Amino acid sequence: MSRKVVRTSKFRHVFGQALKADQCYDDIRISQMTWDSNFCSVNPKFVAMIVDASGGGAFIVLPLSKTGRIDMSQPTICGHTGPVLDIEWCPHNDNIIASGSEDCSVMIWEIPDGGLTVPMKEPVVKLDGHSKRVGILSWHPTARNVLMTAGCDNVVILWNVARGESVVRIESVHTDMIYSACWNRDGSRILTSCKDKKLRVFDPRKGTVLMEKDKPHEGSRPVRAIFVSDGQILTTGFSRMSERQVALWDPNNFSEPLNLQELDTSSGVLLPFFDPDTGIVYLCGKGDSSIRYFEVTDEAPYVHYLSMYSSKESQKGMGYMPKRGLEVNKCEIARFYKLHERKCEPIVMTVPRKSDLFQEDLYPDTIGPEPSVEADDWFSGKEGKPILISLKDDFVATTKNKEFKVIKSLLSTPSASVAQGHVNGGDLQSLQKEVKELREMVEQLTKRVSQLES
């Protein structure tokens, strides 16, 4: 009789936890638009949310530390003449944000370091090229100043933001509204999902279709698609019976999905967020009150359900913090910013660990803020691989460990010289004196630690 073996995974016990009320952002009138975008974008400095505005469109930008109740007079960014549909922080400059609106324009804004003190109406750059509302924005992951936008005119445009001009226009390919558009990890491919029930993979500079998949999901409701590890594609959509599904595809063999799972019968569109460092994909449904997470691996059945974070209130939108903005010393592997009717609530995903040391397996080198290629070079054909950074530099051990390490390094110096036999009478006296001072220091630090712990 064979026993079923439970698959081992270090992420089996990932748990989500909402932060306390005083660490939320309260009294914000989140936009009532029915558009299926995230409505929120975050980076290690700021959180930005699309808000209700009379006579145009606006969004609010707050420093991460400005928690609590937000004053009604908090200045907004209000340069659009129609409602804002999507916002996206630049991955290479934490002060630059792009916004797309119903007024057919895309605007680039530069936020001062401390946040806004007066309303901002004039963008740094205004990009005009769409004939209908612009609902999808995505910055290039490795090339500086390259922005992709997609509008309800069924056109995808790649912009050189520094020059304020459109360089590539992908038109007359999509025959209906574009539901999602994203880059792969190094920005050498674009993936779109469309209302004409097709997935398309493009060469971004030529604008040519490399691969196409008809009906990844049978249902008529919106499909979302993202690249995951090794160039595979993960889609969320609906079955013919309107059940929500998640599927994994190999672009080299689009005939059958590697994995297809049915989840539930809710009507909200599932927004996928993928973490390439851990291989975890998070599914946040619009109007849901839960976040499901799965691990994508290279062994069948490829997509493994891990767990679900549930709360009482439904989410109107969701922001996802880049890896370099997480608290590494708390074993935090993801942080979401969940939008309610009137507030924004951070939700932290952690892997419980007993050790206080830096967890190498949870934090492999991740994409840093440095671009690897300039816009002009990229458009002329130069590829840019992501420049990775280690998160170990941001790691801060607990007080006890930190002080112990300092003492250890001080103690190691004299003992090494003793071992090498370089000690004469005068040196011995100075060593004894130094050891005495060190002992006193240890006693003081031990008292300090016990005071802090109590």
Side-chain angles (χ1 to χ4, degrees):
M1 192 174 135
S2 64
R3 270 177 62 191
K4 192 179 178 187
V5 179
V6 176
R7 190 182 69 90
T8 56
S9 167
K10 58 191 170 215
F11 303 112
R12 181 171 293 284
H13 303 292
V14 171
F15 72 97
Q17 192 171 23
L19 296 187
K20 292 176 181 158
D22 61 341
Q23 290 171 292
C24 296
Y25 306 86
D26 277 316
D27 234 12
I28 299 167
R29 293 169 303 163
I30 302 299
S31 172
Q32 300 296 314
M33 289 290 294
T34 52
W35 190 254
D36 281 330
S37 78
N38 298 348
F39 281 26
C40 177
S41 186
V42 291
N43 69 18
K45 277 188 182 178
F46 300 105
V47 54
M49 295 160 272
I50 302 175
V51 293
D52 264 340
S54 52
F59 61 99
I60 193 169
V61 173
L62 301 169
L64 287 185
S65 56
K66 193 180 171 77
T67 52
R69 187 177 172 278
I70 306 302
D71 200 278
M72 290 282 283
S73 60
Q74 175 69 27
T76 57
I77 295 172
C78 49
H80 287 285
T81 54
V84 177
L85 299 178
D86 198 13
I87 48 177
E88 178 96 20
W89 287 105
C90 175
H92 309 126
N93 185 335
D94 288 342
N95 295 64
I96 299 289
I97 188 168
S99 60
S101 164
E102 271 197 2
D103 64 10
C104 311
S105 71
V106 176
M107 295 185 180
I108 312 296
W109 311 85
E110 185 168 11
I111 311 299
D113 267 339
L116 298 183
T117 50
V118 291
M120 192 177 274
K121 294 182 181 176
E122 286 302 316
V124 184
V125 183
K126 186 178 180 190
L127 307 172
D128 289 316
H130 286 282
S131 57
K132 290 187 179 175
R133 59 186 178 176
V134 185
I136 299 169
L137 306 172
S138 184
W139 290 93
H140 194 286
T142 62
R144 195 199 304 269
N145 293 328
V146 176
L147 178 69
M148 169 170 63
T149 63
C152 292
D153 50 5
N154 312 337
V155 175
V156 175
I157 302 180
L158 303 188
W159 304 87
N160 183 335
V161 174
R163 297 181 183 276
E165 59 189 28
S166 65
V167 183
V168 179
R169 281 179 72 91
I170 301 173
E171 46 193 342
S172 67
V173 178
H174 300 95
T175 57
D176 212 326
M177 192 168 91
I178 300 165
Y179 285 140
S180 70
C182 71
W183 302 92
N184 64 349
R185 187 171 164 88
D186 63 0
S188 59
R189 295 284 178 269
I190 287 174
L191 169 65
T192 65
S193 63
C194 181
K195 197 175 180 179
D196 62 12
K197 294 193 175 180
K198 287 186 179 174
L199 284 185
R200 295 178 177 90
V201 178
F202 291 89
D203 179 317
R205 283 167 288 224
K206 295 175 183 170
T208 52
V209 179
L210 301 174
M211 299 158 199
E212 197 171 85
K213 168 65 184 166
D214 201 22
K215 288 192 178 175
H217 297 274
E218 291 288 331
S220 56
R221 294 183 57 77
V223 170
R224 288 295 178 114
I226 54 169
F227 282 107
V228 291
S229 41
D230 301 328
Q232 293 174 335
I233 291 169
L234 185 126
T235 59
T236 63
F238 293 81
S239 69
R240 195 173 278 145
M241 306 298 292
S242 286
E243 291 169 311
R244 290 200 293 196
Q245 297 176 322
V246 58
L248 187 70
W249 305 87
D250 179 357
N252 302 317
N253 180 14
F254 256 149
S255 55
E256 286 293 318
L258 296 171
N259 184 301
L260 178 71
Q261 296 183 30
E262 292 192 344
L263 302 176
D264 57 22
T265 52
S266 288
S267 60
V269 175
L270 285 165
L271 308 175
F273 299 92
F274 179 66
D275 177 0
D277 302 335
T278 57
I280 297 181
V281 65
Y282 302 87
L283 302 183
C284 310
K286 271 250 169 152
D288 287 12
S289 53
S290 61
I291 301 172
R292 287 182 177 83
Y293 31 107
F294 299 79
E295 189 174 356
V296 180
T297 64
D298 50 8
E299 27 180 271
Y302 306 108
V303 180
H304 309 271
Y305 174 75
L306 289 174
S307 186
M308 180 165 73
Y309 164 80
S310 294
S311 58
K312 291 177 183 173
E313 293 191 57
S314 60
Q315 54 231 19
K316 291 180 71 68
M318 195 67 83
Y320 179 63
M321 175 67 82
K323 211 59 179 285
R324 58 195 174 86
L326 302 180
E327 291 195 43
V328 182
N329 48 320
K330 292 184 179 173
C331 292
E332 184 183 342
I333 59 164
R335 192 188 313 154
F336 291 93
Y337 285 74
K338 172 180 168 179
L339 301 185
H340 299 244
E341 289 277 339
R342 300 281 301 185
K343 77 169 180 178
C344 173
E345 175 186 54
I347 295 165
V348 171
M349 300 283 177
T350 29
V351 177
R353 291 279 168 98
K354 286 180 180 175
S355 169
D356 285 335
L357 302 174
F358 178 72
Q359 304 295 318
E360 303 267 357
D361 58 331
L362 295 185
Y363 303 105
D365 288 356
T366 190
I367 293 180
E370 275 302 307
S372 53
V373 60
E374 293 297 325
D376 292 335
D377 298 336
W378 184 80
F379 279 116
S380 61
K382 188 178 176 186
E383 288 294 351
K385 294 290 176 195
I387 296 177
L388 304 181
I389 57 166
S390 169
L391 294 177
K392 197 165 186 176
D393 306 336
D394 298 329
F395 175 69
V396 180
T398 53
T399 318
K400 217 185 279 185
N401 281 354
K402 212 172 177 186
E403 289 167 350
F404 181 63
K405 279 178 187 167
V406 173
I407 295 159
K408 203 172 172 186
S409 62
L410 282 170
L411 283 170
S412 64
T413 322
S415 61
S417 58
V418 172
Q420 288 161 9
H422 294 313
V423 183
N424 56 34
D427 283 347
L428 190 60
Q429 284 180 340
S430 65
L431 271 177
Q432 286 171 341
K433 188 182 174 187
E434 198 173 332
V435 169
K436 190 181 174 186
E437 286 172 1
L438 284 171
R439 278 187 183 142
E440 286 171 5
M441 191 193 288
V442 169
E443 284 172 18
Q444 286 173 1
L445 290 172
T446 311
K447 282 178 189 173
R448 174 92 178 117
V449 168
S450 59
Q451 282 172 359
L452 287 168
E453 283 181 338
S454 62

